[in-house]
């Protein structure tokens, strides 16, 4: 365990579930070598480490390669419509605060079609974890540029590239109020599992950007394992420091960039559990 | 079409109802006065209905409080107003189309505020001048709106005690304003002595039970809670916002939560997420918001997640006229979802029925694990009415849950009823993934045609096999009459009243006010229309959406015609009555 990823206290599993117990018997549709396999491995390790019972975990996703994850787990899952996973997860967590809610998806789902929900999920700071598998491409629709794709990446839909600068998820998350922001690499499932454990345990909205190569449409991303710098970051609760760090960011420094102290979302105002019929008095003459 | 009690020799005639509109510029307080008049009528034992209209300004525009007070229950406004009473006339001509007057009407205005707009005078209505502001100034801290309230109450013969009660109820928390207001009301009442015309209300029959004062939006909110809703996510939109503003503190009192979402895409997905978690959930919106929710409603169909959307319809398309009513969202509610996506569509047909229909919609959505769209509208939602306490819904239905560790659990099992027990997160041994992808019985994604056929059949079967009981429609009138009217929603009020007038002329008809629009109970509808030789379909939209839907779904007997008109202005009973008379002679 390095300094950037401090050891996480591990609660002994009541039923001693292993990581494999969190996997379903459904075979993933992903290409051989896809980075997303590493995320399933890391996520199941993290769940085992936290000794969370599968019945109390809900993994929520939208549409895209990485959004297929819920079906590959033995926990509860929700595979909804494109771009709205954070909204569905938010509703689930607020309606059922007793559950551990983990939202998963890709860069297109989260930063493009779901971009508005990303802003407001950060802002709302509901106690849940959002894992984005960023491969800088739309894989399921066979290779179109996503918001994080480099401007000169050539594709059929955008010959010679989009010419657009990349979306900056970390800075956006910080500015929007996410309470925990980390970057990890799918090639190191143990380190990723540790980050996920920290993210789940951190109060409020935790955002984990995972570099997850697309071996089919972005084969050059196989080189990421040589570029990532796993010891690069220490957590800070200082927003200015985190912001400076993100603005200098190469996109390949791994670790926790920010761990804030905002209290998680909670409904405000007085609350009660009176019988519904008591409300009739409001209408009576 | 006012009916009169037989007057005594020296008594002015007593009426079974009267319609009043109070107008004035922003800050003149006509809404306050209108609400007090409504409460006074309620306190005096009358039924009443109030709608409001205001200029396009965000704050401070001209305003009109439109009231109908009657000795009997009412679900719509009258053809004409008896009294148009103005604090001032600034921009009030804008409301011209909403304020029909007749030769028997009376215009009350302050001569210091100028003449009433010509457009109102052309009606032939009588006109009286009262120096409202001067009278108000004669009372310390007196205000013209309270003077006008006193005058109008005197014209109607409302008891002083009832008016005082209404003023006290409104101003109870501002004792400093109470005494001047009561004095101004008394001065206005005294000033009415100078007016010869009277619109005296007959003494109302004793109330047979408790009465409520509420809007359709509030009724829908309460119905949602009675149905079991404990999670709401929504985005503000006229004219649904008041429903949400009522629900927000109400939910907090009964252990529920409301979240203001970032948009309607979030709203619908949040409530689907909450309902997936086992908590009955609802969102409310209007046409533009419903458009944004349609994709996710398809998910709720496919993943079989109960959810209720209340669409308080307004004039469309696009931004349209946000503050006016129309039944133009029927098509999108019925047909907007892509793929074959059976779901529920219901419509309340009165302010009070917003309670029952929304409660029933929650129950049906829960029991059938399907989305339900409730088509309310701006008129029903925002009208404030005195109604008999609505009867409790006599049916109950709820979600069928999977037991923990149910052996061989299959979330989407092909049961005979089509309903398969739903596992709720937290339940051990039955975890599954809810999926918008087509799936087999276990819930695993499948692109097999056989699974698709089987699941399509299952999702249709559960809606078609359900026994909806008698709540599918209100059946009224003479069930053997050759003439039948089919309608829905807020058209029902004026249709009912038109039929009552036609009956007085000896023309009887049967009325079918559809509450369950989808799945259409075609067999029950056919039975209700059996033997009819003429069917008239009445609705408030420009393209006869209900008429076309009915003609596509079932064989209507005899000659079938459509009476449809776009919104902004509600149907009046007279418009439908005239149509009925002409049509019956044709």
């Amino acid at each position: 365990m390095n300094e950037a990823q401090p050891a996480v206290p591990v609660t002994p599993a009541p039923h001693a579930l292993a990581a494999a117990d969190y996997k379903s018997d459904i075979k993933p549709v992903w290409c051989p070598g896809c980075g997303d396999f590493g995320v399933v491995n890391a996520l199941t390790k993290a769940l085992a480490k936290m000794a969370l019972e599968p019945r109390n975990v809900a993994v929520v996703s939208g549409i895209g390669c990485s959004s297929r994850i819920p079906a590959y787990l033995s926990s509860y899952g929700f595979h909804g419509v494109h771009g709205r996973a954070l909204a569905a997860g938010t509703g689930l967590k607020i309606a059922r605060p007793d559950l551990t809610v983990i939202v998963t998806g890709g860069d297109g789902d989260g930063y493009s079609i779901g971009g508005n929900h990303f802003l407001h999920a950060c802002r709302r700071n509901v106690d849940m974890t959002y894992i984005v598998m960023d491969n800088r491409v739309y894989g399921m629709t066979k290779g179109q540029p996503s918001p994080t794709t480099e401007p000169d990446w050539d594709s059929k839909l955008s010959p010679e590239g989009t010419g657009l600068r990349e979306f900056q998820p970390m800075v956006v998350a910080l500015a929007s109020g996410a309470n925990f922001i980390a970057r990890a690499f799918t090639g190191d499932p143990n380190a990723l599992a540790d980050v996920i454990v920290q993210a789940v345990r951190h109060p409020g909205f935790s955002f984990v950007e995972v570099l997850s190569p697309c071996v089919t449409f972005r084969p050059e991303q196989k080189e990421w394992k040589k570029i990532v710098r796993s010891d690069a970051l220490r957590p800070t609760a200082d927003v200015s420091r985190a912001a400076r760090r993100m603005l200098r960011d190469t996109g390949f420094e791994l670790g926790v960039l920010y761990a804030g102290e905002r209290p998680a979302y909670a409904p405000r105002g007085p609350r009660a559990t009176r019988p519904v019929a008591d409300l009739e008095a409001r209408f009576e003459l | 079409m006012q009916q009169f009690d037989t007057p005594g020799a020296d008594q002015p005639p007593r009426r079974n109802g009267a319609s009043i509109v109070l107008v004035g510029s922003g800050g003149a307080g006509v809404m306050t006065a209108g609400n007090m008049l409504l409460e006074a009528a309620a306190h005096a034992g009358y039924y009443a209905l109030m709608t409001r209209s205001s200029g396009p300004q965000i704050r401070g525009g001209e305003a009109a409080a439109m009231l109908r007070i009657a000795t009997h229950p009412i679900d719509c406004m009258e053809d004409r107003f008896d009294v148009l009473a103005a604090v001032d006339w600034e921009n009030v001509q804008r409301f011209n189309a909403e304020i029909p007057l007749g030769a028997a009407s009376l215009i009350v205005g302050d001569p210091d505020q100028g003449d009433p707009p010509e457009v109102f005078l052309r009606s032939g209505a009588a006109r009286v001048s009262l120096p409202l502001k001067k009278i108000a100034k004669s009372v310390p801290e007196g205000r013209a709106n309270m003077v006008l309230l006193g005058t109008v109450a005197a014209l109607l013969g409302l008891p002083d005690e009832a008016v005082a009660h209404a003023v006290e109820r409104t101003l109870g928390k501002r004792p400093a304003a109470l005494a001047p207001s009561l004095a101004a009301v008394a001065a206005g009442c005294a000033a009415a002595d100078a007016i010869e015309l009277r619109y005296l209300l007959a003494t109302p029959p004793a109330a047979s039970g408790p009465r409520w004062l509420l809007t359709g939006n509030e009724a829908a909110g309460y119905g949602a809670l009675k149905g079991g809703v404990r999670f709401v996510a929504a985005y503000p939109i006229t004219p649904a916002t008041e429903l949400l503003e009522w629900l927000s503190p109400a939910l907090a009192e009964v252990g529920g939560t409301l979240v203001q979402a970032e948009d309607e895409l979030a709203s619908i997905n949040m409530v689907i997420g909450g309902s997936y978690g086992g908590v009955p959930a609802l969102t409310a919106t209007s046409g533009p918001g419903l458009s944004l929710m349609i994709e996710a409603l398809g998910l709720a169909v496919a993943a079989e997640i109960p959810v209720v959307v209340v669409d308080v319809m307004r004039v469309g398309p696009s931004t349209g006229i946000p503050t006016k009513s129309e039944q133009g969202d029927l098509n999108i509610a019925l047909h907007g979802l892509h793929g074959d996506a059976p779901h529920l569509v219901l419509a309340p047909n009165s302010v009070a029925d917003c309670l029952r229909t929304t409660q029933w919609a929650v129950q049906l959505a829960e029991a059938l694990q399907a989305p339900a769209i409730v088509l309310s509208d701006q008129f029903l939602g925002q009208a404030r009415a005195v109604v008999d306490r609505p009867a409790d819904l006599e049916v109950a239905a709820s979600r069928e849950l999977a037991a923990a560790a149910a052996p061989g659990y299959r979330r989407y099992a092909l049961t005979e009823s089509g309903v398969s027990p739903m596992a709720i997160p937290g339940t051990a041994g039955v975890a599954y993934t809810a999926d918008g992808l087509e799936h087999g019985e276990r819930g695993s994604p499948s692109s097999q045609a056989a699974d698709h056929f089987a699941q399509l059949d299952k999702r249709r079967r559960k809606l078609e096999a359900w026994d909806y009981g008698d709540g599918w429609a209100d059946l009224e009138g003479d069930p053997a009459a050759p003439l039948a009217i089919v309608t829905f929603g807020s058209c029902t009020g004026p249709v009912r009243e038109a039929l009552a007038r036609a009956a007085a002329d000896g023309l009887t008809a049967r009325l079918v006010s559809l509450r369950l629009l989808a799945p259409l109970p075609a067999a029950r509808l056919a039975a209700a229309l059996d033997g009819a030789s003429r069917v008239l379909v009445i609705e408030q939209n420009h393209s006869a959406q209900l008429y076309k839907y009915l003609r596509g779904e079932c064989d209507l007997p005899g000659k079938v015609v459509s009476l449809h008109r776009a919104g902004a202005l509600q149907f009046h009973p007279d418009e439908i009555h005239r149509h009925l008379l002409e049509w019956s002679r044709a």
Side-chain angles (χ1 to χ4, degrees):
Chain A
M1 198 59 51
N2 59 47
E3 282 180 345
Q5 289 159 359
V8 170
V10 175
T11 317
H15 311 297
L17 289 176
D21 295 321
Y22 292 90
K23 289 186 183 175
S24 77
D25 53 7
I26 297 177
K27 190 172 173 289
V29 294
W30 299 323
C31 311
C34 175
D36 296 347
F37 285 104
V39 178
V40 172
N41 290 336
L43 183 53
T44 53
K45 277 174 201 276
L47 294 172
K49 246 184 184 175
M50 291 183 283
L52 293 168
E53 290 187 70
R55 70 185 173 107
N56 291 327
V57 176
V59 179
V60 176
S61 71
I63 295 296
C65 295
S66 53
S67 289
R68 290 289 188 125
I69 274 191
Y72 308 146
L73 304 173
S74 65
S75 67
Y76 278 87
F78 179 100
H79 183 210
V81 294
H82 195 23
R84 318 295 164 213
L86 282 172
T90 298
L92 176 59
K93 180 65 184 181
I94 293 175
R96 287 290 307 276
D98 57 311
L99 299 174
T100 298
V101 175
I102 297 168
V103 181
T104 60
D107 39 306
D109 190 72
Y111 306 149
S112 190
I113 189 169
N116 193 32
H117 309 305
F118 180 53
L119 301 183
H120 291 276
C122 293
R123 212 187 123 226
R124 201 174 275 118
N125 203 30
V126 170
D127 187 19
M128 59 185 188
T129 299
Y130 184 35
I131 300 170
V132 176
M133 286 149 264
D134 190 347
N135 57 12
R136 306 181 182 182
V137 72
Y138 286 88
M140 187 156 270
T141 49
K142 318 280 188 255
Q144 297 79 34
S146 87
T148 47
T149 301
E150 302 80 350
D152 56 354
W153 185 72
D154 186 64
S155 68
K156 279 191 201 165
L157 192 60
S158 297
E160 297 182 39
T162 62
L164 306 177
R165 65 163 279 172
E166 301 94 320
F167 183 77
Q168 303 292 320
M170 318 307 272
V171 184
V172 171
L174 184 73
S176 305
N179 209 31
F180 179 97
I181 303 170
R183 183 186 289 118
F185 177 52
T186 184
D188 186 352
N190 287 324
L192 175 55
D194 279 337
V195 170
I196 292 171
V197 169
Q198 291 179 64
V200 170
R201 290 189 169 157
H202 197 84
F205 185 72
S206 298
F207 168 51
V208 182
E209 152 99 354
V210 181
L211 302 174
S212 183
C214 175
V215 295
T216 301
F217 299 104
R218 304 296 308 268
E220 69 278 17
Q221 290 174 349
K222 289 178 192 166
E223 301 302 307
W224 279 358
K225 60 177 179 283
K226 298 175 190 163
I227 311 170
V228 293
R229 293 178 51 220
S230 58
D231 290 346
L233 302 168
R234 293 160 198 267
T236 175
D238 181 335
V239 178
S240 310
R241 190 160 168 244
R244 281 195 300 277
R245 182 189 267 179
M246 289 173 188
L247 290 167
R248 285 197 306 265
D249 198 42
T250 64
F252 293 94
E253 285 101 3
L254 307 182
V256 179
L257 285 88
Y258 176 71
E261 287 154 4
R262 285 178 71 205
Y265 169 91
R268 298 172 77 97
R271 316 200 69 75
T273 49
R274 295 164 56 194
V276 171
D278 284 6
L279 298 173
E280 285 197 7
R282 296 172 177 212
F283 304 131
E284 285 162 2
L285 283 163
Chain B
M1 292 291 163
Q2 204 57 64
Q3 293 169 26
F4 297 94
D5 287 355
T6 313
D10 53 352
Q11 295 288 315
R14 293 267 166 179
R15 314 153 57 93
N16 66 6
S19 292
I20 304 95
V21 53
L22 308 178
V23 296
S25 54
V30 296
M31 291 305 182
T32 305
N35 273 315
M36 288 175 177
L37 190 57
L38 185 69
E39 295 221 8
H43 188 69
Y46 295 97
Y47 293 92
L49 187 63
M50 177 172 137
T51 62
R52 32 203 294 174
S53 199
S54 48
Q57 302 89 329
I58 301 299
R59 268 202 104 88
E62 58 282 0
M66 292 171 269
L67 288 99
R68 182 179 177 195
I69 300 169
T71 54
H72 53 281
I74 43 175
D75 293 325
C76 66
M77 299 303 280
E78 257 289 3
D79 305 322
R80 279 176 289 283
F81 286 95
D82 298 304
V83 180
L84 164 59
V87 176
D88 61 68
W89 294 110
E90 197 177 329
N91 290 329
V92 169
Q93 68 280 359
R94 281 189 187 169
F95 300 131
N96 167 38
E98 295 172 65
I99 307 179
L101 300 174
S105 308
L106 173 68
I107 300 173
V108 181
D110 185 337
D112 296 333
Q113 302 297 321
D115 286 334
E118 181 59 31
V119 66
F120 295 120
L121 295 173
R122 276 202 295 269
S123 65
R127 176 184 169 188
V128 294
S129 295
L130 275 187
L132 297 165
K133 291 236 160 109
K134 281 185 185 146
I135 297 171
K137 277 191 182 155
S138 71
V139 175
E141 305 290 312
R143 297 195 60 202
N145 66 327
M146 292 295 102
V147 176
L148 198 60
L149 172 64
T151 303
V152 169
L155 293 177
L156 302 176
L158 285 176
D160 295 347
E161 179 270 329
V163 182
H165 172 86
V167 175
E168 279 161 19
R169 224 173 106 116
T170 306
L171 298 176
K173 288 176 189 156
R174 293 163 52 206
L178 185 56
S181 295
L182 289 172
V185 166
C189 189
D193 287 347
I195 304 174
E196 210 160 302
L197 272 169
R198 280 289 186 276
Y199 298 85
L200 298 178
L201 293 162
T203 307
S208 53
R211 300 241 177 104
W212 285 6
L213 177 61
L214 78 178
T215 66
N217 276 339
E218 292 168 349
Y222 185 51
L225 298 184
K226 284 187 78 157
V229 166
R230 292 296 179 272
F231 180 63
V232 172
Y235 188 75
I237 185 167
T238 304
T241 308
E242 297 95 334
L243 201 168
L244 307 167
E245 289 178 338
W246 186 88
L247 269 173
S248 183
L251 272 163
E253 286 191 38
V254 299
T257 312
L258 180 141
V259 182
Q260 182 178 331
E262 55 269 30
D263 55 31
E264 287 92 346
L265 301 163
S267 308
I268 185 67
N269 283 281
M270 282 182 185
V271 294
I272 289 172
S275 178
Y276 161 78
V279 180
L282 170 144
T283 185
T285 187
S286 192
L290 179 64
S291 305
L292 290 178
M293 295 179 182
I294 291 293
E295 184 200 18
L297 286 172
L299 166 66
V301 170
E304 301 197 44
I305 298 172
V307 66
V308 176
V309 179
V310 179
D311 172 12
V312 188
M313 294 186 285
R314 65 191 215 186
V315 172
S318 193
T319 310
I321 310 176
T323 56
K324 298 294 175 203
S325 207
E326 193 168 66
Q327 295 179 315
D329 295 350
L330 179 62
N331 273 350
I332 188 176
L334 291 170
H335 311 295
L337 282 64
H338 66 273
D340 290 302
H343 60 283
L344 296 149
V345 180
L346 298 96
N349 61 20
S350 70
V351 170
D353 191 50
C354 289
L355 193 169
R356 174 200 174 91
T357 296
T358 309
Q359 183 182 359
W360 194 37
V362 177
Q363 289 189 2
L364 290 177
E366 288 287 316
L368 296 169
Q369 299 177 24
I373 299 172
V374 177
L375 291 177
S376 177
D377 64 32
Q378 181 274 334
F379 173 81
L380 295 175
Q382 295 192 322
R384 182 171 290 279
V386 180
V387 300
D388 291 317
R389 179 193 180 279
D392 289 322
L393 194 62
E394 59 279 6
V395 293
S398 58
R399 198 185 301 194
E400 189 181 341
L401 302 181
Y409 176 65
R410 290 165 300 149
R411 167 67 186 98
Y412 301 106
L414 300 172
T415 60
E416 193 181 332
S417 69
V419 175
S420 43
M422 182 171 179
I424 298 305
T427 315
V430 287
Y432 77 103
T433 291
D435 209 324
L437 278 170
E438 191 56 283
H439 38 256
E441 290 185 80
R442 305 193 76 86
S444 315
S446 168
S447 48
Q448 299 299 312
D451 284 327
H452 183 46
F453 291 170
Q455 293 295 322
L456 281 175
D457 283 345
K458 169 194 195 294
R459 297 191 288 255
R460 187 182 62 191
R461 183 164 71 244
K462 66 182 181 180
L463 293 190
E464 291 184 350
W466 185 259
D467 180 3
Y468 296 92
D470 293 333
W472 67 279
D474 283 347
L475 303 179
E476 298 167 16
D478 174 3
L483 171 62
I485 295 182
V486 182
T487 190
F488 80 109
S490 66
C491 284
T492 306
V495 168
R496 273 187 183 132
E497 206 150 321
L499 283 176
R501 293 177 192 181
D505 301 336
L507 176 66
T508 59
R510 39 183 128 173
L511 167 63
V512 180
S513 174
L514 290 165
R515 186 175 286 107
L516 180 66
L517 292 159
L520 187 72
R524 288 175 190 268
L525 180 59
L529 297 177
D530 187 42
S533 56
R534 290 163 169 239
V535 178
L536 177 60
V537 181
I538 301 181
E539 61 194 302
Q540 196 189 25
N541 57 59
H542 196 249
S543 57
Q545 297 178 15
L546 178 64
Y547 170 81
K548 289 172 185 167
Y549 173 58
L550 294 177
R551 298 224 68 168
E553 290 284 314
C554 52
D555 294 322
L556 299 172
K559 192 178 172 207
V560 186
V561 295
S562 165
L563 171 58
H564 58 277
R565 172 169 70 62
L569 297 175
Q570 291 297 107
F571 273 115
H572 284 137
D574 183 53
E575 185 177 354
I576 294 169
H577 184 211
R578 276 187 286 115
H579 192 88
L580 277 176
L581 291 180
E582 281 166 29
W583 188 53
S584 68
R585 291 191 205 109

